Amino acid sequence: MSDAKSLSAFSDGLAAAVEAASASTLLVDARKRYPASGIAYAADLVLTADHVVTRDEDIRVGLPDGKRVAATVAGRDPGSDLALLRLGEKVLAPANTAKDPARVGQIVLALGRPSEAGVQASFGIVTAIGGPARTARGGLLEQYLQTEATPYPGFSGGPLINAAGEVLGLNTSGLTRGAALTIPVGVAWVIADSLEKHGTVKRGYLGVRTQPVETGLLVLWLEKDGPAEKGGLLVGDILTKVNNQSLHDADDLFAALTSETVGKKTDVDILRGGQPQTLKVTVGERK
């Protein structure tokens, strides 16, 4: 095959990927400014970026055929900048998600539907995979992707797709200041599942302030009647593990206190006076 034919075939393949993914790429009109984008999570559910949903009423979702459908907020997780919208009817074609996770150097396309003119796309590669990382919205993102694909206005909430048109993640400019990131589909879909079931994502907390030391996290302060104090922790204890996860910094503690630990007695390994102990602490829910 000649170089021209190879390039043409490559170009046609990308266009076909965009066309395939456009069926589940939606317009989300839920703020005063220009609309943003969303992904069909289920036949009546749309996953989008939380920061583009600034009102709880008069939300409209634009379908690929140009029709607009009313929607309500099914759940929000500001920490991960994700929101789930529910339609009153099952009219969506749920997105096809990639079976394999994204890789650095992989060719990707960012899609958006910020207007009724149709789907838009930008092209690039995955430049980095990072995480866990604390977000500007107070959450801890287990993993994130960085790409060269240009996040045009209104692209937040739209999908990042591979060359087969499968969704690799959800794009958003609301997690960091001045940069757009992609929440991998494996992370975003778990959060969406919790939003569908509970309307929120539970996150645990102990009620402590700590500072890193060589052996773990030194407890500097305890919330009065908080989970840690009730569980027997003392100022001066050194946290070494929570739920069998080693602790080196505050983000490790944040990550260890998953939704599954909330309300449950959890093993907290400490050093007290240089001697190891294990306490059973009932993890609270961060509000």
mmCIF file of all heavy atoms in Angstrom, residues 1 8 10 15 22 26 46-47 51 57 79-80 104-105 128 155 175 191 199 216 239 243 248 255 282:
data_model
loop_
_atom_site.group_PDB
_atom_site.id
_atom_site.type_symbol
_atom_site.label_atom_id
_atom_site.label_comp_id
_atom_site.label_asym_id
_atom_site.label_seq_id
_atom_site.Cartn_x
_atom_site.Cartn_y
_atom_site.Cartn_z
ATOM 1 N N MET A 1 0.843 -1.195 0.000
ATOM 2 C CA MET A 1 0.000 0.000 0.000
ATOM 3 C C MET A 1 0.880 1.247 0.000
ATOM 4 O O MET A 1 1.855 1.328 0.750
ATOM 5 C CB MET A 1 -0.915 -0.007 1.238
ATOM 6 C CG MET A 1 -1.900 1.166 1.285
ATOM 7 S SD MET A 1 -2.948 1.138 2.776
ATOM 8 C CE MET A 1 -3.932 -0.334 2.472
ATOM 9 N N SER A 8 -4.503 7.747 4.086
ATOM 10 C CA SER A 8 -5.946 7.875 3.880
ATOM 11 C C SER A 8 -6.716 6.854 4.717
ATOM 12 O O SER A 8 -7.743 7.180 5.325
ATOM 13 C CB SER A 8 -6.280 7.706 2.397
ATOM 14 O OG SER A 8 -7.672 7.821 2.187
ATOM 15 N N PHE A 10 -5.679 5.469 7.498
ATOM 16 C CA PHE A 10 -5.550 5.887 8.894
ATOM 17 C C PHE A 10 -6.559 6.993 9.211
ATOM 18 O O PHE A 10 -7.249 6.957 10.237
ATOM 19 C CB PHE A 10 -4.124 6.369 9.147
ATOM 20 C CG PHE A 10 -3.885 6.929 10.516
ATOM 21 C CD1 PHE A 10 -3.954 6.121 11.636
ATOM 22 C CD2 PHE A 10 -3.592 8.280 10.687
ATOM 23 C CE1 PHE A 10 -3.728 6.633 12.910
ATOM 24 C CE2 PHE A 10 -3.374 8.803 11.942
ATOM 25 C CZ PHE A 10 -3.445 7.977 13.064
ATOM 26 N N ALA A 15 -11.882 8.883 11.578
ATOM 27 C CA ALA A 15 -13.212 9.444 11.345
ATOM 28 C C ALA A 15 -14.297 8.446 11.726
ATOM 29 O O ALA A 15 -15.340 8.820 12.289
ATOM 30 C CB ALA A 15 -13.352 9.858 9.884
ATOM 31 N N SER A 22 -19.677 9.120 18.636
ATOM 32 C CA SER A 22 -20.576 10.282 18.682
ATOM 33 C C SER A 22 -21.991 9.893 19.086
ATOM 34 O O SER A 22 -22.749 10.719 19.597
ATOM 35 C CB SER A 22 -20.589 10.999 17.331
ATOM 36 O OG SER A 22 -21.211 10.195 16.331
ATOM 37 N N LEU A 26 -22.935 13.417 24.228
ATOM 38 C CA LEU A 26 -24.147 14.219 24.362
ATOM 39 C C LEU A 26 -23.842 15.666 24.721
ATOM 40 O O LEU A 26 -22.766 15.983 25.226
ATOM 41 C CB LEU A 26 -25.034 13.606 25.446
ATOM 42 C CG LEU A 26 -25.299 12.106 25.287
ATOM 43 C CD1 LEU A 26 -25.853 11.533 26.571
ATOM 44 C CD2 LEU A 26 -26.232 11.847 24.121
ATOM 45 N N VAL A 46 -26.602 9.967 32.168
ATOM 46 C CA VAL A 46 -25.514 10.692 31.507
ATOM 47 C C VAL A 46 -24.454 11.035 32.533
ATOM 48 O O VAL A 46 -24.750 11.653 33.565
ATOM 49 C CB VAL A 46 -26.028 11.993 30.856
ATOM 50 C CG1 VAL A 46 -24.882 12.738 30.180
ATOM 51 C CG2 VAL A 46 -27.147 11.691 29.864
ATOM 52 N N LEU A 47 -23.217 10.645 32.272
ATOM 53 C CA LEU A 47 -22.096 11.011 33.136
ATOM 54 C C LEU A 47 -21.418 12.242 32.548
ATOM 55 O O LEU A 47 -21.117 12.286 31.350
ATOM 56 C CB LEU A 47 -21.103 9.861 33.241
ATOM 57 C CG LEU A 47 -19.974 10.026 34.276
ATOM 58 C CD1 LEU A 47 -20.552 10.128 35.685
ATOM 59 C CD2 LEU A 47 -18.991 8.860 34.187
ATOM 60 N N HIS A 51 -18.511 20.267 37.526
ATOM 61 C CA HIS A 51 -18.386 21.730 37.499
ATOM 62 C C HIS A 51 -19.194 22.381 36.377
ATOM 63 O O HIS A 51 -19.389 23.596 36.399
ATOM 64 C CB HIS A 51 -16.908 22.153 37.404
ATOM 65 C CG HIS A 51 -16.328 22.097 36.031
ATOM 66 N ND1 HIS A 51 -15.759 20.951 35.511
ATOM 67 C CD2 HIS A 51 -16.230 23.033 35.056
ATOM 68 C CE1 HIS A 51 -15.326 21.206 34.280
ATOM 69 N NE2 HIS A 51 -15.596 22.464 33.988
ATOM 70 N N GLU A 57 -32.156 22.642 38.256
ATOM 71 C CA GLU A 57 -33.421 22.617 37.520
ATOM 72 C C GLU A 57 -33.193 23.066 36.084
ATOM 73 O O GLU A 57 -32.184 23.681 35.753
ATOM 74 C CB GLU A 57 -34.444 23.531 38.208
ATOM 75 C CG GLU A 57 -34.798 23.090 39.620
ATOM 76 C CD GLU A 57 -35.791 24.025 40.281
ATOM 77 O OE1 GLU A 57 -36.037 25.110 39.732
ATOM 78 O OE2 GLU A 57 -36.313 23.663 41.358
ATOM 79 N N GLY A 79 -15.544 16.040 44.589
ATOM 80 C CA GLY A 79 -14.119 15.741 44.735
ATOM 81 C C GLY A 79 -13.482 15.186 43.483
ATOM 82 O O GLY A 79 -12.317 15.470 43.188
ATOM 83 N N SER A 80 -14.230 14.389 42.731
ATOM 84 C CA SER A 80 -13.714 13.826 41.479
ATOM 85 C C SER A 80 -14.259 14.563 40.264
ATOM 86 O O SER A 80 -13.973 14.179 39.129
ATOM 87 C CB SER A 80 -14.070 12.338 41.370
ATOM 88 O OG SER A 80 -15.474 12.156 41.297
ATOM 89 N N VAL A 104 0.703 5.136 27.650
ATOM 90 C CA VAL A 104 1.452 6.315 27.222
ATOM 91 C C VAL A 104 1.895 6.119 25.773
ATOM 92 O O VAL A 104 2.419 5.063 25.409
ATOM 93 C CB VAL A 104 2.674 6.554 28.134
ATOM 94 C CG1 VAL A 104 3.542 7.678 27.573
ATOM 95 C CG2 VAL A 104 2.218 6.892 29.540
ATOM 96 N N GLY A 105 1.674 7.121 24.951
ATOM 97 C CA GLY A 105 2.002 7.048 23.536
ATOM 98 C C GLY A 105 0.858 6.612 22.657
ATOM 99 O O GLY A 105 0.940 6.709 21.422
ATOM 100 N N ALA A 128 0.973 11.081 29.593
ATOM 101 C CA ALA A 128 1.348 10.645 30.940
ATOM 102 C C ALA A 128 0.163 9.992 31.625
ATOM 103 O O ALA A 128 -1.000 10.289 31.330
ATOM 104 C CB ALA A 128 1.836 11.830 31.769
ATOM 105 N N PHE A 155 -15.843 20.973 26.003
ATOM 106 C CA PHE A 155 -15.444 19.564 25.929
ATOM 107 C C PHE A 155 -15.521 18.863 27.280
ATOM 108 O O PHE A 155 -15.526 17.637 27.345
ATOM 109 C CB PHE A 155 -14.025 19.435 25.371
ATOM 110 C CG PHE A 155 -13.971 19.264 23.874
ATOM 111 C CD1 PHE A 155 -14.834 19.939 23.046
ATOM 112 C CD2 PHE A 155 -13.025 18.429 23.295
ATOM 113 C CE1 PHE A 155 -14.779 19.788 21.658
ATOM 114 C CE2 PHE A 155 -12.956 18.261 21.926
ATOM 115 C CZ PHE A 155 -13.834 18.940 21.096
ATOM 116 N N LEU A 175 -10.570 19.737 37.420
ATOM 117 C CA LEU A 175 -9.846 19.077 38.503
ATOM 118 C C LEU A 175 -8.592 19.820 38.932
ATOM 119 O O LEU A 175 -8.165 19.733 40.078
ATOM 120 C CB LEU A 175 -9.478 17.642 38.098
ATOM 121 C CG LEU A 175 -10.627 16.645 38.109
ATOM 122 C CD1 LEU A 175 -10.181 15.320 37.512
ATOM 123 C CD2 LEU A 175 -11.140 16.432 39.535
ATOM 124 N N ILE A 191 -17.268 5.339 40.173
ATOM 125 C CA ILE A 191 -17.913 6.474 40.832
ATOM 126 C C ILE A 191 -19.342 6.639 40.334
ATOM 127 O O ILE A 191 -20.270 6.880 41.114
ATOM 128 C CB ILE A 191 -17.096 7.758 40.608
ATOM 129 C CG1 ILE A 191 -15.735 7.633 41.306
ATOM 130 C CG2 ILE A 191 -17.846 8.986 41.113
ATOM 131 C CD1 ILE A 191 -14.774 8.749 40.993
ATOM 132 N N GLY A 199 -26.407 8.322 45.105
ATOM 133 C CA GLY A 199 -26.458 9.757 44.888
ATOM 134 C C GLY A 199 -25.207 10.489 45.314
ATOM 135 O O GLY A 199 -25.074 11.693 45.112
ATOM 136 N N GLY A 216 5.929 6.523 59.513
ATOM 137 C CA GLY A 216 4.504 6.617 59.197
ATOM 138 C C GLY A 216 3.996 8.034 59.334
ATOM 139 O O GLY A 216 4.637 8.981 58.878
ATOM 140 N N LEU A 239 0.788 6.483 63.074
ATOM 141 C CA LEU A 239 0.010 5.576 62.220
ATOM 142 C C LEU A 239 0.949 4.926 61.216
ATOM 143 O O LEU A 239 1.666 5.621 60.490
ATOM 144 C CB LEU A 239 -1.073 6.344 61.471
ATOM 145 C CG LEU A 239 -2.066 7.174 62.301
ATOM 146 C CD1 LEU A 239 -2.985 7.944 61.369
ATOM 147 C CD2 LEU A 239 -2.866 6.286 63.220
ATOM 148 N N ASN A 243 -6.230 -0.369 57.438
ATOM 149 C CA ASN A 243 -6.835 -1.366 56.555
ATOM 150 C C ASN A 243 -5.754 -2.126 55.781
ATOM 151 O O ASN A 243 -5.908 -2.428 54.604
ATOM 152 C CB ASN A 243 -7.829 -0.703 55.588
ATOM 153 C CG ASN A 243 -8.843 -1.675 55.032
ATOM 154 O OD1 ASN A 243 -9.128 -2.709 55.636
ATOM 155 N ND2 ASN A 243 -9.384 -1.360 53.874
ATOM 156 N N HIS A 248 2.555 6.673 54.256
ATOM 157 C CA HIS A 248 3.762 7.488 54.148
ATOM 158 C C HIS A 248 3.444 8.975 54.133
ATOM 159 O O HIS A 248 4.286 9.792 54.495
ATOM 160 C CB HIS A 248 4.544 7.118 52.888
ATOM 161 C CG HIS A 248 4.898 5.658 52.812
ATOM 162 N ND1 HIS A 248 5.866 5.089 53.608
ATOM 163 C CD2 HIS A 248 4.381 4.648 52.056
ATOM 164 C CE1 HIS A 248 5.957 3.790 53.338
ATOM 165 N NE2 HIS A 248 5.056 3.501 52.404
ATOM 166 N N ALA A 255 -6.482 7.706 50.783
ATOM 167 C CA ALA A 255 -6.777 6.610 49.862
ATOM 168 C C ALA A 255 -7.193 5.340 50.593
ATOM 169 O O ALA A 255 -7.984 4.546 50.073
ATOM 170 C CB ALA A 255 -5.559 6.327 48.986
ATOM 171 N N THR A 282 -13.801 2.558 64.254
ATOM 172 C CA THR A 282 -14.953 2.671 63.368
ATOM 173 C C THR A 282 -14.807 3.939 62.548
ATOM 174 O O THR A 282 -14.837 5.055 63.063
ATOM 175 C CB THR A 282 -16.265 2.712 64.160
ATOM 176 O OG1 THR A 282 -16.378 1.514 64.951
ATOM 177 C CG2 THR A 282 -17.461 2.810 63.217
#
